[in-house]
């Protein structure tokens, strides 16, 4: 197989895997009410079909990415997507809600295997200076699936029942997994284990210790501590909006902080860290992670509040609400490739800061629409949200992935995916609590059912304050983007290409040349 064909197949597999995961999440939301009725489940049980998945996937992403670094991203991708397909089929045949929850946890584990691999495969296949457009196409596909998911899910549930939404992804996932197993990586593009691109201080092995390569060991204690920290954090963020600060949520937050501290200590002292602190603490990587966290939190918190506003204040049905939000998905689809071009021309700092400014402006446009809000104003706010968030996903993701050497690409992809999973939960938790605390009571003092608000007037009043806080959170991410580099610099441009570079169009694994906008 030629290197060009392998690149195209890798890009197709990366996009397919990302789309199937995104599509699964959006169609499940539409199917949950029908699932609850058909299986005679409680509301809490149905919510655990999402919570169980989120806990499983978020706690394992970084470790799964490291497994891909060691055993091959393509192999982990195939294992993950095949397992994802089998779990989806099992959910579609599940006789009760307990089976659905258990299989959703299994699906989360498989999702954790395949998601970092979708980025790791791209980093291992494309040269650094050509990563922007593949990542942009992947982002566009995710935006398209986010727009199509509710429509497809609604049609399937209405005509075939909730089980059909889980069978939807089975055949594409199986076909993609089999293809990934069948395709052989060209020998010239198989990376050799090397030191990370961002240097990590060398560690002196203890007396009698055997020196091994970086890829030879897995930091199992570090993986366990990180998983525990993320598990406690995710559980706290998911339960906090409904229960508030109780003994359980406070204990979860404290446990998450303690486990995180223990994890950092472990990474500082182990000879083979799961996440080298030199990489995690590098200004471009740290800034990009903060940007992703703040942008996704602000984005999804705003979406939650805006959805309730459209349906409960303006009285629109779900389909009408979806049409109002359509510019958001459209701008993610159309704007992502443009973002890759802008980043290449103007650098990560300028592009990301401009994108965060668009995101902040979009939130501000939606923050005071009033009950007489016009459709152009609402659509304009969503358009700005999509343009800003889609660009941020492209630029920040490219920064993180480019900073990693090929043998750490899975770990970098796991960090990016973790930020993209934690951020939305943080935004939803913040938005829900602010709406609950700031909405004044009704005449009867009781909130209306179905949402974090009371009367339409009370909701509109609290909405402005909540979205201003979310806009401030996005502005914090914009300030973090200042740590990114100004423009592209090719530090290795003066050197003649190596044989491998000339033959395959990609730098050898672990090449020291870097671009400043990484």
């Amino acid at each position: 197989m030629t290197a060009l064909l392998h690149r195209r197949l890798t890009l197709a597999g990366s996009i397919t895997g990302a789309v199937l995961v995104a599509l699964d999440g959006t169609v499940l939301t539409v199917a949950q009410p029908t699932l609850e009725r058909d299986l005679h489940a409680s509301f809490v049980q149905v919510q655990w079909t999402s919570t169980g998945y989120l806990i499983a996937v978020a706690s394992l992403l970084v470790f799964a990415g490291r497994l891909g670094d060691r055993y091959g991203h393509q192999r982990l991708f195939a294992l993950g997507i095949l397992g994802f397909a089998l779990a989806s089929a099992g959910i579609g045949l599940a006789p009760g809600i307990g089976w659905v929850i258990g299989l959703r946890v299994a699906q989360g584990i498989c999702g954790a295997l395949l998601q970092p691999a979708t980025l790791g495969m791209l980093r291992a296949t494309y040269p650094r200076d050509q990563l922007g457009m593949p990542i942009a196409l992947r982002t566009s596909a995710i935006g398209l699936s986010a727009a199509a998911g509710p429509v497809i899910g609604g049609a399937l549930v209405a005509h075939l029942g909730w089980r059909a939404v889980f069978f939807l992804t089975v055949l594409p996932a199986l076909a993609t997994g089999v293809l990934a197993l069948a395709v052989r990586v060209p020998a010239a593009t198989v990376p050799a284990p090397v030191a990370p691109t961002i240097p990590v201080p060398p560690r002196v092995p203890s007396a009698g210790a055997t020196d091994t390569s970086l890829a030879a060991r897995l930091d199992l204690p570090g993986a366990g501590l990180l998983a525990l920290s993320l598990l406690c954090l995710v559980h706290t963020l998911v339960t906090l909006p409904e229960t508030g600060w109780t003994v359980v949520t406070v204990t979860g937050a404290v446990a998450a902080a303690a486990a995180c501290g223990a994890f950092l200590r472990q990474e500082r002292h182990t000879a083979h860290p799961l996440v080298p602190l030199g990489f995690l603490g590098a200004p471009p990587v740290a800034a990009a992670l903060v940007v992703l966290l703040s942008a996704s939190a602000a984005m999804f918190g705003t979406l939650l509040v805006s959805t309730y506003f459209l349906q409960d204040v303006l009285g629109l049905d779900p389909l009408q609400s979806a049409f109002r939000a359509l510019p958001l998905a459209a701008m993610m689809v159309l704007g992502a490739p443009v973002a890759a071009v802008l980043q290449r021309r103007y650098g990560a700092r300028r592009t990301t800061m401009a994108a965060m400014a668009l995101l902040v402006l979009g939130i501000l446009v939606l923050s005071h629409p009033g009950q007489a809000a016009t459709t152009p104003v609402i659509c304009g706010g969503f358009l700005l949200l999509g343009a800003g968030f889609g660009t941020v996903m492209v630029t920040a993701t490219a920064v993180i992935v480019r900073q990693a050497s090929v043998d750490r690409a899975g770990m970098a992809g796991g960090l990016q995916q973790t930020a993209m999973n934690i951020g939305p939960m943080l935004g939803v938790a913040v938005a829900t609590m602010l709406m609950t605390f700031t909405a004044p009571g009704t005449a009867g003092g009781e909130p209306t059912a179905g949402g974090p608000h009371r009367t339409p007037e009370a909701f509109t009043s609290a909405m402005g304050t909540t979205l201003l806080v979310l806009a401030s959170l996005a502005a914090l991410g914009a300030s973090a983007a200042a740590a990114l580099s100004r423009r592209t610099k090719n530090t290795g441009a003066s050197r003649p290409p190596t044989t491998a570079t000339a033959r395959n169009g990609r730098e050898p694994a672990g090449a020291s040349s870097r671009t400043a906008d990484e």
Side-chain angles (χ1 to χ4, degrees):
M1 177 184 296
T2 64
L4 178 61
L5 179 58
H6 179 254
R7 281 189 191 179
R8 292 176 177 175
L9 289 175
T10 298
L11 179 59
S14 176
I15 291 175
T16 303
V19 164
L20 290 179
V21 172
L23 193 62
D24 177 84
T26 54
V27 298
L28 173 63
T29 303
V30 177
Q32 281 181 331
T34 306
L35 183 152
E36 179 179 345
R37 291 191 298 269
D38 287 357
L39 296 182
H40 306 288
S42 68
F43 176 77
V44 173
Q45 288 176 320
V46 172
Q47 293 310 302
W48 268 99
T49 63
S50 296
T51 302
Y53 176 90
L54 289 173
I55 289 176
V57 71
S59 60
L60 295 174
L61 281 167
V62 176
F63 183 61
R66 195 68 188 99
L67 288 176
D69 292 330
R70 179 173 181 179
Y71 297 109
H73 300 298
Q74 191 166 307
R75 184 179 301 175
L76 264 290
F77 173 80
L79 178 62
I81 201 166
L82 289 174
F84 197 89
L86 294 177
S88 297
I91 295 171
L93 299 171
I97 189 64
W99 281 94
V100 174
I101 294 173
L103 288 169
R104 281 287 289 172
V105 172
Q107 197 175 44
I109 295 172
C110 295
L113 292 177
L114 76 90
Q115 287 187 62
T118 62
L119 291 172
M121 291 190 302
L122 294 180
R123 175 64 186 92
T125 304
Y126 286 84
R128 296 178 191 275
D129 59 352
Q130 295 181 25
L131 273 172
M133 191 56 67
I135 291 175
L137 295 175
R138 179 180 177 275
T139 302
S140 293
I142 293 174
L144 183 61
S145 66
V151 178
I152 296 173
L156 289 174
V157 172
H159 294 91
L160 300 175
W162 67 268
R163 297 179 187 272
V165 303
F166 291 101
F167 290 127
L168 173 67
T169 58
V170 172
L171 289 181
L174 286 175
T176 304
V178 171
L179 182 62
L181 288 176
V183 170
R184 300 297 179 186
V185 181
T189 66
V190 176
V194 292
T197 299
I198 296 179
V200 179
R203 303 191 180 275
V204 180
S206 59
T210 302
D211 186 23
T212 58
S213 67
L214 183 63
R217 293 184 181 178
L218 292 172
D219 179 18
L220 295 180
L225 288 170
L226 180 60
L228 177 61
S229 175
L230 292 172
L231 187 153
C232 294
L233 177 60
V234 171
H235 185 268
T236 300
L237 291 175
V238 169
T239 56
L240 191 59
E242 293 184 5
T243 65
W245 288 108
T246 63
V247 173
V248 174
T249 52
V250 171
T251 302
V254 172
C260 180
F263 168 73
L264 294 176
R265 179 180 176 82
Q266 163 69 17
E267 299 308 279
R268 187 177 295 111
H269 291 90
T270 185
H272 304 280
L274 177 71
V275 181
L277 297 185
F279 178 85
L280 186 62
V285 175
L289 289 173
V290 170
V291 166
L292 284 176
L293 276 171
S294 61
S296 57
M299 167 77 167
F300 283 86
T302 302
L303 279 180
L304 173 71
V305 176
S306 300
T307 299
Y308 276 109
F309 173 79
L310 292 174
Q311 297 187 24
D312 290 355
V313 176
L314 298 186
L316 303 177
D317 61 36
L319 184 59
Q320 291 172 324
S321 300
F323 278 124
R324 300 298 193 283
L326 195 59
L328 187 154
M331 285 306 299
M332 285 189 64
V333 173
L334 300 176
V338 177
V341 175
L342 292 176
Q343 182 180 12
R344 189 176 182 88
R345 180 171 181 178
Y346 297 108
R349 178 188 296 181
R350 293 180 182 177
T351 307
T352 305
M353 293 184 71
M356 294 299 288
L358 290 176
L359 184 62
V360 171
L361 183 58
I363 298 173
L364 293 177
V365 168
L366 295 172
S367 63
H368 293 289
Q371 297 185 44
T374 62
T375 297
V377 171
I378 295 172
C379 291
F382 282 120
L383 186 145
L384 291 170
L385 286 180
F389 187 67
T391 301
V392 166
M393 282 188 64
V394 173
T395 56
T397 299
V399 167
I400 295 170
V401 175
R402 286 175 178 175
Q403 283 288 353
S405 59
V406 174
D407 69 309
R408 289 284 186 180
M411 177 270 295
L415 287 173
Q416 187 271 352
Q417 291 291 321
T418 300
M420 290 301 299
N421 277 270
I422 299 297
M425 288 181 279
L426 175 62
V428 169
V430 169
T432 303
M433 288 189 295
L434 286 173
M435 292 299 298
T436 301
F437 294 152
T438 58
T442 62
E446 293 296 330
T448 57
H453 61 279
R454 303 193 175 186
T455 64
E457 293 78 12
F459 181 90
T460 303
S461 174
M463 179 179 178
T465 302
T466 300
L467 293 189
L468 284 176
V469 172
L470 292 173
S472 300
L473 184 60
L476 176 65
S479 64
L484 301 176
S485 301
R486 291 180 182 274
R487 59 188 179 85
T488 302
K489 296 178 182 178
N490 189 357
T491 59
S494 62
R495 295 194 305 268
T498 63
T499 304
T501 304
R503 180 172 61 252
N504 300 307
R506 61 188 299 275
E507 82 277 11
S512 60
S513 62
R514 293 165 48 195
T515 57
D517 68 340
E518 296 165 5

